[in-house]
Amino acid sequence: MRAYLDIEKLRFEERLRAHFEIDAGMAHVTIPPMTLQTLVENAVKYGVER
């Protein structure tokens, strides 16, 4: 997700800021990457509108 957001930051410049806040107890939990990517893509698409 960080790599995807880095690319989107180049695209949206100052309009996109990302902040990661991950609870220490969640460090061992694995989530299929495409599950998260869909959520993040939608957040970027609808959260960074003109």
Side-chain angles (χ1 to χ4, degrees):
M1 290 295 67
R2 291 181 198 273
Y4 169 75
L5 287 171
D6 286 342
I7 292 168
E8 291 298 296
K9 283 181 194 177
L10 293 173
R11 180 177 170 200
F12 290 108
E13 298 174 349
E14 295 297 319
R15 294 174 42 212
L16 178 65
R17 290 185 311 264
H19 174 77
F20 292 89
E21 192 170 317
I22 303 167
D23 188 70
M26 300 300 290
H28 69 283
V29 176
T30 56
I31 299 172
M34 291 308 291
T35 303
L36 269 182
Q37 183 155 344
T38 302
L39 293 172
V40 173
E41 284 177 353
N42 282 331
V44 169
K45 180 178 179 181
Y46 295 108
V48 185
E49 291 185 353
R50 293 182 188 249

